[in-house]
Amino acid sequence: MQKYSFNILIAFAAVVLLVLAQYRILDNYIQAVIMFGGINIMMSTSLNLVNGNMGEFTCGHAAFMCVGAYVASLLSVLCFGSKFGDPLFPAAASYFVFPIIILIGGFMAALSSILVALPSFKTRDDYLAIITIAVNYMVISAIENMDWIGGSRGFQGMKDTVWAMVDATPSWLAGDNDFPWVLLYVILFTIFDIWVIRRFITSTYGKGVNAVCQDETAAEIMSVNTNKIKTVNFMISAGLAGCAGGLFAHVVGYVNPQSFNILKSTEAMVMVYLGGMGSLSGAVLSAVVFTFLLEILRSQALIDFLLAPATFVFPDWEPSAGVIKWVMIPLLLVLIMQFRPEGIMGNKELSDVFPKLKKYYTFK
């Protein structure tokens, strides 16, 4: 029974969040922060599968998020929007169709990961990193030249699906406020993401991934099909990132190719290295910390206060929160690599640091 108590606790916390959001105790801003936190958890844990558990070095994870975001957005508008004509489905079907749309976006992102998986058979380390960066730019450039989906202007209309779910919500559930459907699905997909990764890394394939990380040559000698292991690992990682992209598109209601450039991939890498390579609980923890750090750096008043001494030396300098954020994020990555390269958790899990947690839940 104790093994299920942690799952019950997670379910209870999710219900509490939904109730607080439904009755507007959590305002729209707080809900948005929670949803971005869940999306960051999905990005961090999925990239950790490759950079942490398998020991590869990829720098273009945002490309798969981009594929998932655009595929899910197009399907969403096609099914419930008016951009391409009459909707294919009634509003009442949105509850069931929406998660399928997100999963299809993830599936297409998983297929696109073949662009990285195949070169990984012959390359590693810096060479693979260069290939992944090139794939990131290839995806962005391709979408920017597709005028039928907005090109560089971006694409919108996904909010029609959200409003379809809101409009079809039964009165007994909605009450006087709109039910937070997007928050619900972000929570569900975040839990699904952690469950899939945990099941994968404890499976036979997961053991093969760890063998490739330790010594690929020795793994091949021991009859591990390293090419198959790499392909499966890349596809699961990219698929989960694609699901995160689909959710991101519906939270924001707008997608633009430049939203998934190398800076977005850098955010994912910072979260992975901050939490600890190969640590699932570390990736979750670092995503939460990183999300709140980004929100703090959005405050222009705080930036002005922290950099007030510098303005005396450079009186004409007017630092903006948007610019300082992209100074602080790479700086954080440099500091992590310099002073704590193993990250917050190293390769350990919470159940290793706090052994009493093992009777409730284990990550390994």
Side-chain angles (χ1 to χ4, degrees), residues 45-65:
T45 53
S46 61
L47 180 59
N48 192 45
L49 266 181
V50 177
N51 285 27
N53 294 100
M54 195 164 64
E56 300 284 5
F57 184 42
T58 64
C59 303
H61 204 55
F64 310 122
M65 187 180 186

Side-chain angles (χ1 to χ4, degrees), residues 260-278:
F260 307 100
N261 57 18
I262 191 64
L263 296 178
K264 193 68 176 179
S265 295
T266 303
E267 287 186 10
M269 286 192 295
V270 169
M271 288 186 282
V272 169
Y273 292 110
L274 176 62
M277 301 286 284

Side-chain angles (χ1 to χ4, degrees), residues 153-313:
R153 299 185 305 276
F155 184 79
Q156 59 185 351
M158 297 77 75
K159 284 294 185 181
D160 289 341
T161 302
V162 178
W163 291 120
M165 289 189 285
V166 170
D167 292 340
T169 305
S171 58
W172 62 267
L173 180 60
D176 297 329
N177 301 311
D178 297 334
F179 188 79
W181 286 106
V182 180
L183 176 61
L184 169 63
Y185 284 113
V186 169
I187 292 173
L188 291 178
F189 270 97
T190 303
I191 295 172
F192 172 73
D193 165 86
I194 296 173
W195 178 81
V196 167
I197 292 176
R198 180 177 175 272
R199 295 286 294 179
F200 177 72
I201 61 178
T202 55
S203 67
T204 302
Y205 278 100
K207 303 302 181 185
V209 168
N210 290 329
V212 171
C213 178
Q214 296 298 323
D215 193 320
E216 186 173 348
T217 303
E220 289 179 344
I221 294 174
M222 296 300 293
S223 73
V224 175
N225 190 337
T226 57
N227 290 349
K228 183 178 180 180
I229 291 292
K230 286 182 177 182
T231 302
V232 172
N233 193 70
F234 270 110
M235 292 187 71
I236 292 177
S237 174
L240 294 173
C243 291
L247 292 170
F248 175 83
H250 286 82
V251 171
V252 177
Y254 169 80
V255 285
N256 183 286
Q258 289 303 320
S259 299
F260 307 100
N261 57 18
I262 191 64
L263 296 178
K264 193 68 176 179
S265 295
T266 303
E267 287 186 10
M269 286 192 295
V270 169
M271 288 186 282
V272 169
Y273 292 110
L274 176 62
M277 301 286 284
S279 173
L280 177 57
S281 51
V284 174
L285 178 62
S286 65
V288 174
V289 172
F290 186 77
T291 301
F292 284 103
L293 177 62
L294 286 184
E295 293 307 313
I296 292 173
L297 291 176
R298 290 182 190 274
S299 173
Q300 185 63 49
L302 177 63
I303 295 298
D304 292 339
F305 174 77
L306 293 176
L307 298 180
T311 57
F312 287 103
V313 180

